[in-house]
Amino acid sequence: MKARILDIVRGTTVDGPGFRTAIYFAGCAHNCPGCHNPQSWDFSGGEEMELQDIVDIIYEEDFDVTLSGGDPLYQPMFASALIERIHELGKRTWVYTGFLWEEIIENPLLRDAVSQAEAVVEGRFLETLKNPDLAFRGSSNQRIIDVKKSLETATPVEIMRI
Ligand code: SF4
């Protein structure tokens, strides 16, 4: 199983709490004006990587994991399989996506993809609500969703609001 990956960073501190291994997926079609990384929109960008090669890198590091991009949920089958493997390694996953939580849970593929993640940082980036002081997100409309609690209660539960 393969996905197109832009980059893998070992030890980032900006994509969720603590040191993390960050996997940046190629491709995004949300077209947010003011996107910090429009070169990540190209679905043919980066390079094709095997699931096992990414798992091996994650295994080597004593870090939790973040999937970002681009938007990893445009490759939902791969994201689902990767999050499952990360979960089996006893590590936690945060997923960054431009999809809203409400859009994710309505789509069985996306819902399945994030079901083993700890958190989903969701929603389009809105330049008018940009705030560099926000923790782990670019604009104040974006929410950090606690996946387990949100699925259990069938309502979006935020992990923190800073
Ligand atoms: S979802 Fe993220 S990567 Fe995609 S256009 Fe919006 S800000 Fe850029």
Side-chain angles (χ1 to χ4, degrees):
M1 192 175 207
K2 295 178 180 176
R4 293 208 71 88
I5 302 297
L6 290 172
D7 198 9
I8 296 178
V9 175
R10 304 171 189 234
T12 177
T13 56
V14 297
D15 296 318
F19 288 92
R20 313 184 73 82
T21 304
I23 317 295
Y24 298 96
F25 285 61
C28 183
H30 294 301
N31 294 307
C32 307
C35 169
H36 64 294
N37 195 12
Q39 58 272 33
S40 71
W41 295 2
D42 183 0
F43 285 95
S44 58
E47 63 176 284
E48 213 168 52
M49 288 189 73
E50 284 283 354
L51 177 68
Q52 186 59 49
D53 292 337
I54 298 174
V55 171
D56 288 346
I57 291 170
I58 290 167
Y59 179 73
E60 283 169 15
E61 305 294 338
D62 191 22
F63 304 143
D64 288 324
V65 182
T66 291
L67 310 189
S68 186
D71 189 332
L73 295 189
Y74 282 110
Q75 300 182 73
M77 308 276 280
F78 189 92
S80 180
L82 180 56
I83 295 168
E84 182 69 37
R85 295 291 302 278
I86 295 166
H87 188 66
E88 288 168 6
L89 292 175
K91 297 172 185 281
R92 290 171 290 194
T93 306
W94 279 36
V95 179
Y96 278 74
T97 177
F99 292 103
L100 289 170
W101 178 254
E102 289 78 2
E103 294 172 314
I104 293 168
I105 58 169
E106 279 175 11
N107 181 320
L109 263 185
L110 301 188
R111 182 191 170 106
D112 181 58
V114 303
S115 62
Q116 298 288 344
E118 178 184 33
V120 172
V121 186
E122 53 83 85
R124 281 67 158 178
F125 169 70
L126 290 180
E127 212 162 11
T128 50
L129 296 178
K130 179 179 178 178
N131 182 347
D133 295 331
L134 293 168
F136 310 131
R137 57 211 163 95
S139 56
S140 59
N141 60 296
Q142 295 169 317
R143 297 170 295 180
I144 303 174
I145 299 290
D146 182 319
V147 171
K148 191 163 186 283
K149 284 186 186 162
S150 298
L151 291 177
E152 280 172 2
T153 62
T155 190
V157 177
E158 292 180 58
I159 284 186
M160 64 180 93
R161 200 74 185 170
I162 300 170

